Amino acid sequence: MTLNFMESESYLFTSESVTEGHPDKICDQISDGVLDAMLKLDPRARVACEVACTTGLVVVMGEISISKGYVDIPGLVRNTIKNIGYTDPAYGFDYQTCGVMVAIDEQSSDISEGVSNALETRSKDMSDDEVESLGAGDQGMMVGFACDETPELMPLPMSLSHQLTKKLSEVRKSGELKYLRPDGKSQVTVEYSKGKPKRVHTVLLSNQHDPDVENKIIEKDLIEKVAKDIIPKDLLIDTRFIVNPSGRFVIGGPVGDTGLTGRKILVDTYGGMARHGGGAFSGKDPTKVDRSAAYAARWVAKNLVASGVASRAEVQVSYAIGISAPISVSIETFGTNKISNHEIDQIVETHFDLRPGAIIRDLDLRRPIYAQTASYGHFGRTDIDLPWERTNKVEDIKKAINL
């Protein structure tokens, strides 16, 4: 069911985020670390890298085809875990003592031949023939979304959730709250009225901690030094704060839960505010449309909203393996469009080439830029420069609709 955002008098919506020390996010960061390392050696590398972690063990698996060079995957795994903050054996999982198992095979030749015979080395220099020859790496549908609730054109609950988990990491790594450990979560519930955020209804923070810290100290610190530092004061209206509702959170990370790559797909995207095609991102090179087309769909949606065409835009693109042209492109504006649906379709068709090869070329995706996206979201990032976040089509769109 699609919410009629502009007519509903009042409703609540919740999104969550997790810190870089969450077991699933450990796996995402390792997968994308492997991808970046491969792309540094060979921009044409085909990578599908999955990771699992549990008490004392990290398993790296997948299919990788690379023409040259060698990556020390066990060393990369340990360095990633160290940078996250698992440096103490007392946590039950640390970078020095965990085992690392690597099980990597080559990409299926059937998939490889179906995707492309192009031998480009720099994505932005691809010829028209190379763009056309690059078929989608799989079938499926991908979704991009944007709305005008925040300056970065993201849903407010998702934006605040990410800011909170980043703050949890900052106060831990800076030593301001020395008792915090790497694993943590946030959750933000926003009350909406007629499609606009009215107030923050509830803030939930859970963070792993040392065993000798009293709950009341943790609660006070996380509310005052994290939550109230992030949530805008004008949205703190009768806001409820919940901190570590289970009481204690000493056992965490891979000791508390097994982690897997690609298990936080709503944390990675729009927090449930938009639909999702089902495909994860981390560990996949840009020939996998699960990743590159989702980025392109966000690029389209963000430029539509930034240009004033609509206040909310959800873009769905679908593909068939080995075929370059999208099977379908669908755009939903939830009744917020300022021009007709037909005009919006024409703008997207004219100004955005959604063939996989064109996406890789136009967003210059054959570069090692992915590890930085593996925690705190792939969209709405203001701390890093991501090509799909650029609003470089706004002027063209405004000219097309005489704005």
Side-chain angles (χ1 to χ4, degrees):
M1 181 181 72
T2 301
L3 286 172
N4 193 329
F5 291 95
M6 305 310 294
E7 294 181 2
S8 299
E9 286 294 330
S10 181
Y11 58 90
L12 301 178
F13 196 90
T14 302
S15 296
E16 70 160 351
S17 180
V18 297
T19 65
E20 63 205 77
H22 186 281
D24 293 332
K25 277 293 148 196
I26 295 172
C27 297
D28 285 344
Q29 289 166 90
I30 293 170
S31 291
D32 273 338
V34 171
L35 171 63
D36 277 0
M38 297 295 174
L39 289 175
K40 283 179 183 177
L41 294 173
D42 179 6
R44 296 180 292 109
R46 296 284 171 79
V47 180
C49 179
E50 311 286 345
V51 176
C53 67
T54 188
T55 305
L57 179 65
V58 176
V59 182
V60 183
M61 10 178 205
E63 299 78 43
I64 296 176
S65 299
I66 186 171
S67 64
K68 58 183 178 180
Y70 166 77
V71 173
D72 175 16
I73 292 179
L76 185 152
V77 169
R78 296 186 189 281
N79 191 55
T80 301
I81 295 168
K82 179 182 179 181
N83 290 338
I84 290 170
Y86 285 102
T87 57
D88 190 339
Y91 298 168
F93 180 88
D94 72 279
Y95 78 101
Q96 290 180 305
T97 64
C98 70
V100 179
M101 181 184 298
V102 179
I104 298 292
D105 204 348
E106 286 191 337
Q107 184 186 56
S108 161
S109 58
D110 291 342
I111 295 176
S112 181
E113 290 172 9
V115 172
S116 176
N117 292 316
L119 296 176
E120 73 281 352
T121 56
R122 287 177 59 85
S123 52
K124 64 182 180 180
D125 295 332
M126 291 169 65
S127 69
D128 290 339
D129 287 343
E130 288 173 327
V131 167
E132 182 58 35
S133 71
L134 187 67
D138 201 352
Q139 70 175 49
M141 59 281 187
M142 298 82 213
V143 176
F145 181 79
C147 62
D148 61 2
E149 294 178 13
T150 64
E152 64 273 22
L153 304 185
M154 285 288 286
L156 182 63
M158 187 77 268
S159 178
L160 293 177
S161 294
H162 282 321
Q163 291 179 56
L164 288 168
T165 49
K166 287 182 69 177
K167 188 66 177 182
L168 286 172
S169 180
E170 289 172 11
V171 296
R172 170 177 62 88
K173 290 185 171 182
S174 70
E176 184 177 357
L177 299 180
K178 294 181 179 181
Y179 58 79
L180 293 183
R181 293 182 176 183
D183 193 1
K185 288 185 173 184
S186 70
Q187 185 173 287
V188 176
T189 301
V190 172
E191 180 181 348
Y192 285 79
S193 178
K194 295 186 182 297
K196 300 296 182 183
K198 180 179 179 181
R199 69 184 182 100
V200 171
H201 177 278
T202 302
V203 175
L204 170 59
L205 295 172
S206 295
N207 208 104
Q208 186 185 15
H209 57 84
D210 290 344
D212 56 351
V213 186
E214 295 182 13
N215 291 344
K216 63 182 181 181
I217 293 175
I218 299 172
E219 182 175 12
K220 181 177 183 296
D221 283 345
L222 295 195
I223 291 174
E224 296 298 327
K225 298 181 179 181
V226 177
K228 290 186 177 180
D229 185 72
I230 294 298
I231 308 296
K233 290 183 179 180
D234 62 327
L235 295 176
L236 290 174
I237 303 170
D238 298 325
T239 301
R240 182 187 184 193
F241 297 97
I242 304 173
V243 175
N244 283 1
S246 65
R248 283 170 62 80
F249 188 2
V250 175
I251 299 172
V255 179
D257 290 292
T258 297
L260 292 170
T261 296
R263 201 157 59 177
K264 287 291 177 284
I265 58 175
L266 295 186
V267 171
D268 284 344
T269 54
Y270 309 101
M273 186 70 78
R275 284 165 281 205
H276 198 291
F281 301 152
S282 291
K284 298 178 181 179
D285 75 78
T287 67
K288 279 74 172 175
V289 283
D290 274 346
R291 181 168 219 159
S292 55
Y295 291 166
R298 161 66 176 174
W299 182 43
V300 173
K302 187 173 184 180
N303 276 271
L304 290 175
V305 173
S307 64
V309 165
S311 298
R312 309 175 74 85
E314 183 184 81
V315 178
Q316 185 205 67
V317 191
S318 69
Y319 296 89
I321 188 168
I323 297 177
S324 61
I327 301 300
S328 67
V329 179
S330 175
I331 303 165
E332 171 65 74
T333 58
F334 307 95
T336 69
N337 50 305
K338 308 301 190 297
I339 59 176
S340 71
N341 293 332
H342 176 71
E343 288 175 297
I344 294 174
D345 291 341
Q346 290 298 114
I347 285 170
V348 173
E349 183 176 348
T350 301
H351 295 285
F352 297 92
D353 189 340
L354 295 176
R355 293 176 296 169
I359 293 169
I360 292 171
R361 177 197 63 200
D362 295 342
L363 297 181
D364 196 11
L365 295 181
R366 288 193 180 277
R367 298 178 289 141
I369 60 174
Y370 299 105
Q372 61 187 341
T373 68
S375 52
Y376 310 117
H378 294 245
F379 306 117
R381 299 291 294 271
T382 58
D383 55 326
I384 52 180
D385 180 22
L386 300 175
W388 52 89
E389 289 297 309
R390 296 171 188 164
T391 51
N392 53 340
K393 296 288 187 177
V394 166
E395 292 307 315
D396 290 337
I397 294 172
K398 285 184 175 180
K399 287 178 183 178
I401 59 177
N402 297 317
L403 279 181

